[in-house]
Amino acid sequence: MPEVPVLELKDVSKHFGGVRAVDGVDLAVARGEILALIGPNGSGKSTIVNLICGLFPLTAGRIVLDGADISDMPMHARVSGGVARTFQNIRLFGQLTVWQNLWVAQNSGEQRRQGFGRRWFGGSRSARGEVERTLEFFDLAHKSNELAANLAFGEQRRLEFARALSAKPALLLLDEPAAGMNAEEIDQLDNRIRKVRDDGVTILLIEHHMELVMSIADRIAVLNFGRKIAEGTPASVQANPVVREAYLGTPEQV
Amino acid sequence: MDDYLVGVLSNIGIVSFIALSAWLLLLTGEISFGQQAFFAIGAYAAGIATALWGWPLGAALGWSAAIAGGAAVLVGVPTLRLHGLYFAIATLGFAEMVRLLFEQFHYRVMIDGELVGPNGSDGFRGIRYIFENDVGSLQFLALIYLLLAAALAGFMLLERSRLGVAFRMIGEDDTLAALNGLAVARLKILAAGLAGALAGLGGGLYAHLTTYVEPRVFDVMLGVHSLAYGLIGGLGTALGPLLGVVIDIGLLESVRAFAGYRMIVFGGLVAVLLIVRPRGLLDEALVHRIGRLFVRAPPAGP
Ligand SMILES: Nc1ncnc2c1ncn2[C@@H]1O[C@H](COP(=O)(O)OP(=O)(O)OP(=O)(O)O)[C@@H](O)[C@H]1O
Ligand SMILES: [Mg+2]
């Protein structure tokens, strides 16, 4: 019997006025996989991430997380439910330190069950240790006391990833994490995504960098004009003429 | 100390409470022009408690903070759904409503052959606790600064806590804060309640310092000043609003050279600062740099 998917989009649509940014998309993300979502600019990839995390309401359809309908849940409750994300355009608390960004992003079930005083005023050793480990993992330990706004671009990208991961998500939504990175940084990113997946986190990866996508994704779904036009293994998607026509074949992607 | 100096210092101390109150909301990204309402509620509540009910001062001050904090939570629930300008205008409207209500508020009791208590727009005279109990003006000054120091200590604690960081997150980007799992609406109401309690405590002190309150005092200008103190002094530390108060009351109001020009200089100062230092003199970046001077560099690796 197939397992319940971590996330299911059921006939999901989002229209902005006349723009059908997302138009009747069905998508299931299985536990433990890396599902890449690709497609041309403006095809609705970021909109799907925004819908999953609750940034704006659906026009139609349902979103189901771990078998529970979260379509009408407020954003913070979805984080508690296990969804965390990064932004295509870096979005951090620039006036806070790297440490603070990560410390308060922690949102494990254990912390939520703590009483008001412990949760908000307690500085538990394990929480601090957790920040230290995350800093190490993302090679940010030396920047711990720096304001996020003062970091270099690559560091900010890592901090975004680290911040999302600090919530201990079951499902991580990465919106173009490789954008603006050089080859070496993309290599490190590739490693980190794999390690996070190996730790049991399911990943929905949106990316234009095809080399990364093809090397790392278990499955790929392709969007075009808000509709899903293909879904399958990297090899099958790459070979799909419809996808080549709509996206992969465009000269800029060579 | 001469009386004038004691008066100025008492004033600075008391106004600091309402400045801190407006600043705490600024920290969560909300501009309130209405903190004077909670200052007024605290002033009346504390005055009534000592003058009419015979409570000791400590209990009356606690009561003024509690009732103003409670009122702030009640007002916060509907108004904090509004954002930016709409919230600012709602707070202003609420504060004016409170002031007008106090102009209609009569609650007089015969005490020692004399009618005492709030008497509408004539105000509330005879809050004589500190005379009746022989509290000297220096002693009262010490009480003000003791409570202010406690409030500041509370803020220092807050800044080091998750809650304080969460407030700052909400102030910087409330959507991202929600995406960090923070229950933004609830935390904002909590901040509003704490801010209300601070203003109420200040009001309670004020009523006992002046022995007499009238609704006119709690007008929009008090709210605008309270807000401006934080904007001048800066968002980086709770000392920011205090710096704002010292600049305005300690310098502009008390130094003869500025007599008659206070409002002009003050208004100009706010306008210039908003342009050159939008997050105030002691903004986050400066406070961060200063903080680093005092934190020892982390030990070198192995
Ligand atoms: N908040 C919004 N208001 C109005 N239109 C929007 C909004 N967000 C997205 N859109 C529109 O929806 C469409 C899909 O945008 P989306 O950002 O999801 O594309 P994308 O696939 O992420 O593109 P890219 O690869 O460039 O990031 C676009 O036409 C965009 O202009
Ligand atoms: Mg996008």
Side-chain angles (χ1 to χ4, degrees):
Chain A
M1 215 182 77
E3 224 190 319
V4 182
V6 176
L7 180 80
E8 259 183 296
L9 304 189
K10 296 183 170 172
D11 201 16
V12 161
S13 295
K14 180 66 191 181
H15 301 171
F16 297 104
V19 179
R20 294 171 172 234
V22 176
D23 201 15
V25 169
D26 285 295
L27 191 69
V29 189
R31 191 168 304 280
E33 75 171 340
I34 298 178
L35 176 66
L37 189 59
I38 64 173
N41 293 116
S43 57
K45 306 180 296 295
S46 294
T47 303
I48 284 187
V49 172
N50 292 339
L51 291 172
I52 297 170
C53 72
L55 212 55
F56 31 60
L58 298 162
T59 303
R62 307 311 292 171
I63 297 176
V64 179
L65 182 73
D66 271 326
D69 191 325
I70 60 162
S71 313
D72 301 315
M73 250 191 204
M75 285 183 276
H76 71 271
R78 298 188 196 204
V79 181
S80 305
V83 184
R85 69 167 294 175
T86 65
F87 281 87
Q88 180 171 351
N89 306 313
I90 295 172
R91 198 158 169 180
L92 292 163
F93 298 104
Q95 301 300 322
L96 296 175
T97 65
V98 169
W99 169 279
Q100 288 173 321
N101 267 276
L102 298 183
W103 187 45
V104 180
Q106 288 182 349
N107 194 19
S108 64
E110 182 205 337
Q111 270 161 1
R112 284 196 307 281
R113 280 188 296 275
Q114 283 170 351
F116 181 87
R118 288 254 334 258
R119 167 133 199 230
W120 293 110
F121 290 98
S124 83
R125 213 170 269 270
S126 72
R128 287 170 191 278
E130 189 78 40
V131 177
E132 308 279 352
R133 276 193 296 283
T134 308
L135 286 170
E136 287 297 333
F137 182 62
F138 286 96
D139 192 19
L140 286 168
H142 58 297
K143 297 285 180 179
S144 171
N145 278 321
E146 195 61 68
L147 292 185
N150 296 343
L151 297 185
F153 177 81
E155 293 165 342
Q156 291 191 340
R157 275 251 176 260
R158 300 205 300 273
L159 181 56
E160 266 240 62
F161 193 169
R163 187 189 54 70
L165 200 58
S166 294
K168 285 231 185 313
L171 174 69
L172 184 59
L173 315 169
L174 299 174
D175 196 352
E176 302 202 20
M181 284 187 166
N182 62 33
E184 191 195 335
E185 288 170 326
I186 291 177
D187 218 42
Q188 292 168 346
L189 175 69
D190 183 313
N191 282 326
R192 289 197 176 102
I193 294 176
R194 282 171 204 275
K195 279 197 190 121
V196 168
R197 190 262 318 267
D198 293 345
D199 283 344
V201 180
T202 305
I203 292 168
L204 181 65
L205 171 69
I206 290 171
E207 200 34 83
H208 282 294
H209 195 279
M210 277 311 119
E211 214 177 303
L212 177 66
V213 168
M214 293 302 167
S215 96
I216 208 174
D218 299 304
R219 290 190 309 127
I220 297 177
V222 189
L223 283 185
N224 195 25
F225 293 114
R227 292 179 163 273
K228 189 171 80 177
I229 56 167
E231 186 175 359
T233 62
S236 75
V237 165
Q238 243 173 334
N240 186 325
V242 179
V243 177
R244 301 198 76 89
E245 169 72 21
Y247 182 50
L248 294 179
T250 54
E252 61 181 37
Q253 288 307 139
V254 174
Chain B
M1 250 195 282
D2 80 51
D3 287 349
Y4 180 69
L5 186 59
V6 172
V8 171
L9 289 177
S10 299
N11 237 338
I12 288 177
I14 283 173
V15 172
S16 291
F17 282 94
I18 179 168
L20 279 170
S21 171
W23 179 85
L24 178 55
L25 281 173
L26 268 183
L27 206 63
T28 65
E30 298 293 354
I31 290 180
S32 167
F33 290 114
Q35 296 312 101
Q36 71 276 21
F38 307 110
F39 192 77
I41 290 170
Y44 274 89
I48 288 170
T50 58
L52 273 60
W53 303 342
W55 287 19
L57 183 61
L61 291 176
W63 157 245
S64 66
I67 192 166
V73 168
L74 287 182
V75 182
V77 170
T79 54
L80 282 167
R81 291 164 182 274
L82 306 171
H83 287 290
L85 190 57
Y86 299 98
F87 175 78
I89 289 171
T91 57
L92 194 127
F94 168 75
E96 280 298 276
M97 193 184 83
V98 167
R99 187 175 64 79
L100 294 172
L101 281 175
F102 278 124
E103 296 214 338
Q104 303 303 322
F105 181 46
H106 298 267
Y107 172 35
R108 315 231 306 147
V109 174
M110 189 66 82
I111 291 173
D112 299 334
E114 201 184 332
L115 271 177
V116 180
N119 189 22
S121 53
D122 282 345
F124 176 6
R125 287 161 201 280
I127 308 169
R128 282 193 291 258
Y129 183 93
I130 64 172
F131 297 123
E132 285 164 0
N133 292 276
D134 281 328
V135 181
S137 58
L138 267 180
Q139 250 177 308
F140 199 72
L141 181 67
L143 174 67
I144 294 170
Y145 277 87
L146 201 74
L147 289 172
L148 187 58
L152 281 175
F155 272 108
M156 297 303 149
L157 214 73
L158 182 71
E159 291 283 3
R160 291 164 166 276
S161 72
R162 264 213 179 85
L163 184 63
V165 178
F167 281 165
R168 285 191 178 277
M169 283 183 168
I170 292 170
E172 196 174 330
D173 184 342
D174 58 356
T175 303
L176 188 58
L179 289 171
N180 255 356
L182 299 176
V184 172
R186 249 178 286 162
L187 289 171
K188 274 193 174 176
I189 289 168
L190 175 62
L194 291 173
L198 270 172
L201 181 57
L205 289 167
Y206 170 80
H208 287 88
L209 177 73
T210 58
T211 73
Y212 148 62
V213 292
E214 52 179 349
R216 199 164 49 78
V217 173
F218 312 110
D219 68 355
V220 177
M221 281 318 284
L222 179 59
V224 171
H225 273 90
S226 308
L227 181 70
Y229 295 140
L231 291 174
I232 295 174
L235 286 163
T237 159
L239 296 175
L242 270 56
L243 177 64
V245 175
V246 170
I247 290 173
D248 181 41
I249 298 184
L251 199 67
L252 300 184
E253 194 184 70
S254 307
V255 174
R256 291 257 155 70
F258 291 111
Y261 297 102
R262 175 187 169 205
M263 284 315 296
I264 297 171
V265 178
F266 186 73
L269 189 66
V270 173
V272 169
L273 272 172
L274 283 179
I275 295 164
V276 298
R277 274 190 92 84
R279 299 184 74 82
L281 290 169
L282 301 172
D283 62 7
E284 289 93 338
L286 178 63
V287 170
H288 181 249
R289 244 177 293 143
I290 294 171
R292 285 194 136 186
L293 298 177
F294 294 98
V295 178
R296 261 184 306 140

